[in-house]
Amino acid sequence: MLSLWDGVTAMPLTNLSQPGNFVLAALLTGTFAFSTRTYGLITSLPFWFNFLQVLLTPLLAQRLRARSMTIVSACLHCLGWVALLLALPFLPHSENALTLTVFIVTFSIVALSAAINGVAWNSWMQECVPVRLRGKFFGFRNRLLYLSLVVFMLVVSGLLAWLNSSLLAFQLLFGGALALRIVSVLAQQRMRTTTSGRQPVPEPPWQEQVRVVRADGTFMRFITFASAMGFACTLFGPFYPVFMLESLHLSPARTNLLLLLSVLGAAIAFPAWGRLLDRFGNVPVMIVSVVLWQLFNTLWCFLGPANVWLLYVICPAGGLFSAGYGIGLFGLLLKITPSGARTMGMALFVSISSLTAALGPITGGFLIAAARARGYPTLEVYHVAFIFMPVLTMLSCLLLRRVGEMNTARVTEVVGAMRNVRTVASLFGLTFLVNQVFLRPGSRVDPAPGPR
């Protein structure tokens, strides 16, 4: 129960700490008028610290147990947000040296603590939750987290609409999320490790683990794919909310509601994608998911103030199809990580893929700013930029095909399965429709044959 309280109450501030979320996009590019180049730099900070965590976490682990490291990093995370919350009323609403320094320092603290916390929390949960209960427990826990995220996004829209996206709205939003995060830390302090009494088998020295990972060709190809995919997704991905605010002239409240459709789409589609993954394997399902996801993303290239209604198609479709890639990526990582170097393998996977992901928004922000400085219309600049994500991500699938996963089907078999009405209906949460019989008014149905 304490773990559930921990997750649900931590979710709002954790979501606000994610790179490229629309709340920070509205605050930085709207209230404080940051350029796209500066916004891209700040958005890249979490990826840089995810890259550096592979150097910091082992040193901390020698002095702190997983539980202590989780709580300490969570407290540091709160302190970073407290510092930003206290500084917000006194910062000039422009991109000057003081404002830029405060945001970079505070977001660096937040990103560093989040990177350490992610690794430490996973290690702690391995001690707390018995293996036989992990699937059921975390499945139930994740459903609650998605529900809490939906509620949080609705509150965000209401608050921003009520206060007209003023600085006070952001202060109340950050303050409320921070208060909930403190509740999360208190819940963590009351949690205790419950193991069977057997000490975990020590892993080999980290130097040996690095050699094991480097010798595994399949896993190294997987890291190469994840690195390419990370750059492709973050090159212009964080600028979609900025485009909605600047070029489509949507309010932050409406932008949030549209992005909420993506969350709902993913929540609806998770069970169906899970069944496809179990049946056909991770790699082919991920490829199909990415292609369908990016086909809908190409519609961003045609969006303008006159056809904003297209977002009501793009956003839920993006959530529906990106969900298959997300859970497939996690499943594939667990499946092919070398057994003799799991900790180092996962740390290196996160570190290397985050390095390329960190370069994405910096490069994207520079390119957008340079194009606008040359006098190109902003709407056309974004339209051209949004061509790259679909093209680059689908090209990354060529690297994914080279990842050798055992017992998988061909991509064509997954496509064939998705032509089935029941499979597609389950992705959209409409399974009940295929069990209905629709009749014209006044028509008669002959009784089913049977014994009389």
Side-chain angles (χ1 to χ4, degrees):
M1 182 59 70
L2 289 173
S3 177
L4 297 179
W5 273 107
D6 167 33
V8 170
T9 55
M11 198 65 180
L13 199 64
T14 300
N15 181 261
L16 291 175
S17 304
Q18 296 300 313
N21 71 84
F22 101 95
V23 175
L24 292 184
L27 178 68
L28 297 179
T29 64
T31 304
F32 287 94
F34 280 11
S35 66
T36 53
R37 185 180 305 180
T38 303
Y39 172 73
L41 172 63
I42 293 177
T43 301
S44 73
L45 290 176
F47 299 114
W48 288 114
F49 285 102
N50 277 333
F51 167 67
L52 294 174
Q53 60 80 25
V54 74
L55 304 175
L56 299 174
T57 305
L59 297 177
L60 293 173
Q62 293 176 1
R63 296 169 174 82
L64 297 172
R65 294 181 61 86
R67 176 180 179 273
S68 300
M69 189 157 56
T70 300
I71 295 174
V72 169
S73 59
C75 291
L76 182 62
H77 189 255
C78 290
L79 288 176
W81 278 101
V82 167
L84 178 62
L85 189 60
L86 293 176
L88 278 178
F90 306 101
L91 295 176
H93 290 192
S94 61
E95 189 180 332
N96 59 33
L98 174 61
T99 305
L100 188 58
T101 300
V102 169
F103 274 107
I104 290 179
V105 170
T106 54
F107 283 149
S108 293
I109 295 173
V110 169
L112 171 63
S113 57
I116 297 173
N117 187 266
V119 177
W121 187 87
N122 282 318
S123 299
W124 185 21
M125 289 302 105
Q126 289 180 356
E127 301 174 5
C128 288
V129 184
V131 175
R132 68 182 186 279
L133 299 177
R134 286 177 187 169
K136 181 179 180 180
F137 173 75
F138 285 113
F140 175 70
R141 186 178 187 273
N142 289 341
R143 283 195 293 270
L144 286 181
L145 296 190
Y146 263 89
L147 177 61
S148 68
L149 180 58
V150 170
V151 173
F152 170 67
M153 294 182 74
L154 289 173
V155 171
V156 169
S157 289
L159 187 61
L160 293 177
W162 179 41
L163 296 176
N164 198 27
S165 303
S166 64
L167 182 61
L168 177 60
F170 291 104
Q171 290 175 286
L172 292 175
L173 181 60
F174 295 158
L178 180 59
L180 289 174
R181 182 59 168 143
I182 293 173
V183 173
S184 169
V185 175
L186 295 176
Q188 290 178 352
Q189 289 179 334
R190 295 183 60 187
M191 291 169 59
R192 292 293 181 267
T193 301
T194 56
T195 60
S196 60
R198 287 185 284 181
Q199 296 294 325
V201 178
E203 292 188 339
W206 69 267
Q207 298 92 336
E208 178 62 28
Q209 293 190 50
V210 170
R211 283 193 289 269
V212 171
V213 172
R214 290 182 59 186
D216 192 317
T218 296
F219 191 71
M220 292 304 297
R221 286 191 290 272
F222 180 50
I223 291 179
T224 302
F225 156 73
S227 300
M229 190 71 174
F231 181 81
C233 289
T234 61
L235 179 62
F236 296 112
F239 298 95
Y240 284 93
V242 179
F243 169 71
M244 296 169 73
L245 295 167
E246 286 188 354
S247 298
L248 301 185
H249 310 298
L250 301 179
S251 67
R254 188 179 180 188
T255 300
N256 180 65
L257 286 176
L258 285 166
L259 296 177
L260 175 61
L261 296 177
S262 298
V263 178
L264 292 174
I268 290 171
F270 270 131
W273 284 117
R275 289 191 291 271
L276 288 173
L277 289 165
D278 290 338
R279 181 178 175 186
F280 297 104
N282 295 283
V283 170
V285 173
M286 288 168 65
I287 292 174
V288 172
S289 171
V290 168
V291 171
L292 292 173
W293 172 23
Q294 297 310 317
L295 286 176
F296 277 93
N297 268 344
T298 58
L299 295 177
W300 284 92
C301 303
F302 306 100
L303 272 173
N307 60 348
V308 174
W309 62 267
L310 273 175
L311 287 173
Y312 291 96
V313 176
I314 298 172
C315 290
L320 285 166
F321 297 119
S322 64
Y325 170 75
I327 58 175
L329 183 73
F330 181 70
L332 187 59
L333 175 62
L334 294 180
K335 186 174 183 179
I336 68 174
T337 301
S339 58
R342 287 197 171 274
T343 300
M344 184 56 67
M346 291 188 180
L348 286 174
F349 170 82
V350 172
S351 180
I352 297 174
S353 59
S354 294
L355 176 60
T356 56
L359 297 173
I362 295 177
T363 306
F366 174 81
L367 293 175
I368 290 175
R372 294 171 68 175
R374 290 177 176 269
Y376 293 103
T378 299
L379 186 64
E380 294 181 9
V381 169
Y382 278 115
H383 282 170
V384 173
F386 293 156
I387 294 174
F388 285 89
M389 181 173 171
V391 172
L392 293 178
T393 49
M394 285 192 279
L395 288 176
S396 298
C397 290
L398 298 176
L399 297 173
L400 180 59
R401 291 192 64 181
R402 298 186 59 202
V403 177
E405 182 189 8
M406 299 294 292
N407 302 321
T408 60
R410 288 188 288 269
V411 173
T412 53
E413 295 180 56
V414 181
V415 175
M418 293 189 66
R419 291 171 61 187
N420 183 289
V421 175
R422 290 181 180 272
T423 302
V424 175
S426 64
L427 281 175
F428 285 84
L430 301 174
T431 309
F432 64 93
L433 286 179
V434 299
N435 297 321
Q436 304 299 318
V437 178
F438 298 95
L439 299 172
R440 289 178 297 178
S443 60
R444 184 175 61 88
V445 178
D446 293 329
R452 296 183 182 274

